[in-house]
Amino acid sequence: MRLLATGRAVRFTWSKRSGTISRAKLWINVNIQYQQRPQSTAAHTAAPTFKSPVKAPALEVDGKLYSVDDWTNVPASILSFLPRKLHLQPSHPVSITRQVIESNFPSPTYTHYNHLHPIVSVAQNFDSLGFPQDHPGRSRSDTYYLNKDTVLRTHTSAHEAEIFRDNKSEGYTISADVYRRDAIDRSHYPVFHQMEGARMWDRRKVLGGDVAKAVWKDLELLPKHNLEVEDPNPTIHPERNPLQAEHHTTEEAEAIAAHLKKSLEGVVVELFSRARNAAAAAGNADANAIEPLRVRWVEAYFPFTSPSWELEVFWQGDWLEILGCGVTKQELYINAGVPHKLGWAFGIGLERVAMLLYSIPDIRLFWSNDPRFLSQFSTLEKISTYVPFSKYPACYKDVSFWLRSSSSSAGGGSKANAQDFHENDVMEIVRDVGGDLVEDVRLTDEFTHPASGRKSFCYRINYRSLERTLTNEETNQLHDDVRKSLVEKLGVELR
Ligand code: FA5
Ligand code: MG
């Protein structure tokens, strides 16, 4: 869930427990080389190694120093994910999924970039893509900042501009880890992997300068499929999904959109036929569970494409969004010094696709080092339905609290009141205390006191380990710690 932050949050009381540090101690040097996550997916409380003070307040990551300021909000627990790089781990489902998708975008038309560093500038992540200054994605409630100019990339699109500028091939894919402050549930995780893809055509190089014709010709070369995809909307809609009329003709946008959609539908067909063949080869009744495959295009908005779409797949009774895409904004090519190019781009969530491909029920599993999970995956030729090793019992616990009223926070400034409260702050506190022992967190009640105007929230936390049964004492202790942390960090009053 991404909400618009209405106030500037200035919260710095990070807990020792999660390995983060208070504002007074920001000279601390976090050397994440020593912060591999623990062997299990259990509570995610890897402590950073604190080294001797450096002169200026700074954070050290991968041997590089980042100055710390009012924008810094990245906990050490999140930095500890940087070395994992699941998309490069042999036999990991995220890596196998990457390779299956890459095979649909072959070289030399497409160059594959898989080693781009996750720490990028605000300019790369947002400015280069035309994000407006007030876009909610820029807020500290949605994005992990190392400092005001530097973030953990929130998407692989952060590298688009530099690769357009590099101008090496007609297309590319970028696979990488990305980071977002987000909801907690089975399909959302603060670290996940995306693959970006892009394809462009050069006005000066296509036959007779006819881009639309060249694109249709290339489309004919794509593998045919007979998947029926629901696509009820017109390619271009003047208000909802406009043509970049000053740069493209309708024919050009139509051709690029058709090539884009056909390419991505080809990916879906490829993934599902592999999954179905695997299930059938194993004589598995689940082969039928994969059919009928329902897929649909919906209109979308991104600051760097127009028109834009998302592709959704019907999964476990609901529509699951797997990718966003569109016709690349011409300004990106112009700013990258290749104004004569035009084309499409997409960004796909690799975990989301891997969950569909292998029937993996919970996104936390990807981070597991449990051999009962990892041993089930081998190569892209041998895809098989994931067999859960067990389903351990859930334990639901509620926490209700009042936000501080605006008047009581006046002067304090650092605690949540109704203006600057953001749900992602609750999510991060729960994540910091409970780590992967939390399956999901849901808002179950919201209430405004009629007389005082104070706001109250109730969240239901589902504690469930993927690897063992939690004891009562353990869940009680975790929940108690969550409650304390909410009071300490958000200044809420428990009910
Ligand atoms: C983007 O990130 C755009 N950069 C995609 C794009 C690229 C659009 C190029 C146009 C051109 P979005 O925020 O929707 O878009 O994320 C893309 C995909 O990442 C989603 O469809 C989903 O599959 C995956 N995703 C998003 N948030 C999470 C999360 N918290 N956990 C796991 N997967 C996620
Ligand atoms: Mg989206």
Side-chain angles (χ1 to χ4, degrees):
M1 191 180 301
R2 322 212 101 205
L3 301 173
L4 193 79
T6 47
R8 170 104 183 279
V10 196
R11 280 185 279 285
F12 264 90
T13 43
W14 294 329
S15 77
K16 261 276 166 49
R17 193 192 153 98
S18 62
T20 46
I21 44 183
S22 75
R23 193 175 205 177
K25 294 181 185 155
L26 283 178
W27 41 264
I28 280 168
N29 176 354
V30 181
N31 188 333
I32 67 151
Q33 263 131 283
Y34 301 101
Q35 285 181 54
Q36 300 282 358
R37 299 189 73 217
Q39 279 298 302
S40 76
T41 59
H44 165 198
T45 52
T49 304
F50 295 128
K51 284 197 149 184
S52 55
V54 289
K55 281 190 196 79
L59 206 53
E60 183 185 330
V61 186
D62 279 347
K64 243 185 113 174
L65 287 179
Y66 298 88
S67 63
V68 161
D69 59 27
D70 276 3
W71 281 80
T72 312
N73 68 350
V74 55
S77 53
I78 290 293
L79 289 174
S80 73
F81 284 96
L82 263 66
R84 292 288 298 272
K85 302 188 194 310
L86 302 183
H87 65 293
L88 300 174
Q89 300 307 318
S91 305
H92 193 282
V94 169
S95 167
I96 296 172
T97 304
R98 164 184 68 77
Q99 293 170 64
V100 172
I101 305 176
E102 277 176 355
S103 71
N104 275 54
F105 299 102
S107 140
T109 307
Y110 296 88
T111 307
H112 304 297
Y113 298 90
N114 293 328
H115 298 273
L116 298 170
H117 200 274
I119 298 180
V120 300
S121 64
V122 167
Q124 284 171 293
N125 201 79
F126 297 120
D127 303 344
S128 73
L129 294 159
F131 275 70
Q133 282 304 324
D134 61 353
H135 192 283
R138 289 186 185 254
S139 75
R140 289 171 75 250
S141 35
D142 284 30
T143 295
Y144 291 111
Y145 280 84
L146 281 93
N147 57 41
K148 72 175 185 357
D149 302 316
T150 319
V151 295
L152 291 177
R153 72 182 150 223
T154 63
H155 55 175
T156 40
S157 305
H159 302 285
E160 268 195 16
E162 67 209 73
I163 296 181
F164 287 156
R165 189 172 294 280
D166 250 16
N167 196 14
K168 258 191 139 151
S169 48
E170 293 169 295
Y172 62 78
T173 69
I174 307 165
S175 298
D177 41 332
V178 302
Y179 299 78
R180 291 184 193 178
R181 298 182 86 222
D182 213 332
I184 300 182
D185 62 34
R186 283 182 312 154
S187 63
H188 288 84
Y189 205 77
V191 190
F192 59 100
H193 296 77
Q194 283 187 337
M195 182 190 289
E196 188 89 356
R199 172 79 155 96
M200 50 224 128
W201 288 266
D202 190 326
R203 284 190 188 288
R204 299 173 314 183
K205 294 196 182 147
V206 296
L207 200 66
D210 190 340
V211 176
K213 196 166 167 199
V215 175
W216 283 112
K217 212 168 139 225
D218 284 335
L219 186 147
E220 286 308 314
L221 302 173
L222 294 174
K224 306 265 179 296
H225 67 73
N226 48 17
L227 173 70
E228 266 198 44
V229 183
E230 300 167 38
D231 192 5
N233 296 303
T235 307
I236 293 160
H237 186 281
E239 284 95 41
R240 299 193 312 256
N241 224 355
L243 173 77
Q244 300 173 54
E246 63 281 35
H247 300 294
H248 305 154
T249 65
T250 303
E251 291 70 32
E252 286 168 350
E254 289 278 0
I256 292 169
H259 190 278
L260 167 65
K261 287 180 174 175
K262 193 66 171 275
S263 302
L264 291 168
E265 289 165 2
V267 168
V268 173
V269 168
E270 162 97 34
L271 288 162
F272 282 89
S273 56
R274 280 181 193 253
R276 205 175 293 125
N277 292 345
N284 193 336
D286 282 357
N288 296 324
I290 299 167
E291 283 177 293
L293 179 59
R294 284 185 70 195
V295 183
R296 72 176 182 194
W297 287 106
V298 296
E299 289 173 340
Y301 165 80
F302 299 100
F304 40 96
T305 51
S306 193
S308 311
W309 303 274
E310 284 173 343
L311 187 63
E312 298 185 340
V313 174
F314 200 71
W315 183 65
Q316 297 189 354
D318 214 346
W319 288 102
L320 178 74
E321 175 204 318
I322 62 165
L323 65 88
C325 65
V327 177
T328 304
K329 285 261 181 91
Q330 204 57 32
E331 286 78 11
L332 267 76
Y333 299 118
I334 296 170
N335 295 339
V338 287
H340 40 271
K341 298 223 165 173
L342 65 167
W344 54 247
F346 71 82
I348 190 165
L350 291 178
E351 279 85 349
R352 294 262 177 98
V353 173
M355 288 169 88
L356 296 165
L357 182 57
Y358 291 99
S359 304
I360 294 174
D362 190 310
I363 197 164
R364 290 176 295 166
L365 279 162
F366 292 105
W367 300 95
S368 174
N369 281 313
D370 192 321
R372 290 174 297 177
F373 176 76
L374 290 176
S375 66
Q376 297 196 29
F377 311 95
S378 56
T379 62
L380 50 163
E381 281 71 43
K382 276 185 71 183
I383 285 169
S384 52
T385 307
Y386 169 70
V387 184
F389 38 88
S390 191
K391 181 90 172 164
Y392 297 96
C395 176
Y396 293 95
K397 288 191 184 289
D398 289 350
V399 55
S400 308
F401 54 81
W402 293 105
L403 293 185
R404 290 155 63 104
S405 63
S406 315
S407 57
S408 67
S409 74
S414 66
K415 299 288 165 80
N417 57 40
Q419 278 72 51
D420 68 5
F421 174 75
H422 194 293
E423 181 164 283
N424 282 347
D425 296 333
V426 175
M427 298 293 169
E428 185 151 290
I429 285 169
V430 177
R431 189 79 81 178
D432 248 6
V433 173
D436 287 347
L437 301 180
V438 176
E439 181 167 298
D440 60 54
V441 180
R442 280 174 218 284
L443 180 66
T444 52
D445 192 33
E446 197 178 338
F447 167 77
T448 305
H449 193 282
S452 68
R454 280 181 91 190
K455 280 197 118 178
S456 144
F457 293 90
C458 178
Y459 284 93
R460 178 158 298 164
I461 306 175
N462 174 10
Y463 297 93
R464 188 206 310 259
S465 166
L466 292 162
E467 295 168 351
R468 61 197 171 84
T469 300
L470 298 174
T471 64
N472 279 338
E473 291 92 63
E474 212 175 347
T475 34
N476 287 340
Q477 182 64 52
L478 284 171
H479 196 61
D480 215 43
D481 289 349
V482 165
R483 289 165 56 88
K484 282 197 193 112
S485 195
L486 286 167
V487 172
E488 239 173 64
K489 294 180 181 170
L490 296 185
V492 303
E493 187 188 315
L494 297 174
R495 296 185 61 178

